[in-house]
Amino acid sequence: CSFLWEHWRVFVIFIFWPAKFMKMIQGRATLMFPGLTGTNRSDTLIELLCGILVYGVIGQLVILCFLHDKIWLSIGWWIGVLTAVLSAYHMWWGLDRALDLGEKDAVKSITFYNMLRYAVIVVIMGVVMVTEIGNPLAAVFGVFGLKAGAYMQPFIHKRKRR
C-alpha cells in the first residue's frame, strides 16, 4: 500500500479538514473541466467527482490488498472510474445546456445526451473487452462509481459545510 504512504496527507486533509480538501479539488477540477464557474450546480458536480474519486481509491485499496492480478484489475478499474468521471461531467454539461431551452427542446436534448453517454460507455466497455487492456468486470464496477458518488454527495456536502 505504497500509494497510501505517498499520499497520506491528502487522506488526512479529506478526513479532518473537508473544506480545505474541497478547495484543493475545486482548483484542480477547474483546470481539468473548464466552464466550472462556482455556481451551486458546479459545486454539486465537484462534490460528485470527489465521491467518485473516493470510491475509486477505496476500490484500488481493495484490489491492492486482497486480490490477485493487480495490474490488470487496476487498469480496468481506473478505466471505469475515469468513464464515471467523464460521464458525470457530461451529465452536468448536458443538463446545464438543457436548462436554457424550452420544455420540449430540453426533453429532446436530455434524451439525446443520455443515449449518447450510454453509447459511449458501451463502446468503452467493448474496447476494454476486445483489446483486453484491463479487466472488463473491474471496468464495469468502476463505472458504478457514478452511482456511489451520487450516494456520497450529500455526505460530502455536509462535511464540506462544517
Side-chain angles (χ1 to χ4, degrees):
C1 295
S2 63
F3 179 81
L4 278 177
W5 184 252
E6 293 172 7
H7 297 90
W8 65 270
R9 287 182 290 264
V10 174
F11 293 112
V12 169
I13 289 171
F14 175 73
I15 292 169
F16 295 109
W17 297 286
K20 185 176 180 180
F21 180 77
M22 290 302 293
K23 286 182 183 177
M24 183 175 70
I25 293 297
Q26 280 178 333
R28 291 190 177 134
T30 305
L31 292 174
M32 286 176 17
F33 301 110
L36 296 180
T37 59
T39 63
N40 285 338
R41 290 187 301 233
S42 63
D43 287 345
T44 303
L45 172 66
I46 292 171
E47 293 163 0
L48 177 64
L49 294 177
C50 286
I52 294 169
L53 293 176
V54 167
Y55 173 81
V57 169
I58 291 170
Q60 182 64 47
L61 292 175
V62 169
I63 290 171
L64 290 177
C65 295
F66 299 112
L67 300 175
H68 301 292
D69 204 5
K70 295 171 182 11
I71 294 175
W72 194 52
L73 286 168
S74 294
I75 291 171
W77 177 256
W78 285 107
I79 288 172
V81 171
L82 179 64
T83 304
V85 166
L86 295 176
S87 294
Y89 178 73
H90 184 262
M91 195 180 310
W92 169 81
W93 178 80
L95 287 172
D96 195 46
R97 289 183 58 142
L99 288 173
D100 295 333
L101 302 173
E103 184 178 347
K104 288 183 181 181
D105 291 334
V107 170
K108 289 178 185 177
S109 173
I110 290 171
T111 303
F112 172 74
Y113 290 136
N114 284 341
M115 298 307 289
L116 178 65
R117 186 171 44 256
Y118 293 144
V120 169
I121 291 172
V122 167
V123 167
I124 290 172
M125 293 303 135
V127 168
V128 169
M129 287 181 358
V130 170
T131 63
E132 296 182 2
I133 193 170
N135 186 319
L137 188 58
V140 169
F141 281 119
V143 173
F144 287 160
L146 186 59
K147 182 62 79 176
Y151 285 130
M152 282 190 252
Q153 187 273 333
F155 300 108
I156 292 172
H157 182 75
K158 285 180 187 176
R159 296 237 352 131
K160 176 183 159 187
R161 296 292 175 215
R162 278 195 207 172

